[in-house]
Amino acid sequence: MLALATTTVSVLRGTSADAFGDETDAATPHATGIPASLIESTRTAQEPVTGTPRIIRTHICRLPATTDVTEDDRIKDERTSEIYIVVSVTKNSNPVLTQPLRADLKRTGRAA
């Protein structure tokens, strides 16, 4: 069971080529209207040589356990139109309760 959905998302799978031969997302989403919790968090790290502080942003998406999502799919936030690449998908094991999927994401930008 998903704790608290903050948005709905679409799973984009597959690519096609546009008129210029550039790779684009598939025209038809693999799945839409999926309730999801999409969270951005930040942490600070320092460059090893210079000591310059850097802010590292990470994005985590929690999805219902039955969601068909795999690495290299893309997730589109239907509220903001932001698109993220799925870097990894994990599921915590629990013998009593079904756990949501955790997808670690990398933000690519806003859909056109």
Side-chain angles (χ1 to χ4, degrees), residues 66-85:
T66 58
T67 305
D68 180 18
V69 64
T70 61
E71 291 179 13
D72 297 325
D73 282 347
R74 284 148 334 274
I75 289 182
K76 179 181 178 183
D77 183 342
E78 295 175 350
R79 187 172 46 87
T80 64
S81 295
E82 292 285 341
I83 295 181
Y84 304 86
I85 295 173

Side-chain angles (χ1 to χ4, degrees), residues 3-20:
L4 178 63
T6 58
T7 189
T8 57
V9 298
S10 296
V11 175
L12 307 175
R13 184 173 291 164
T15 59
S16 60
D18 65 9
F20 302 103

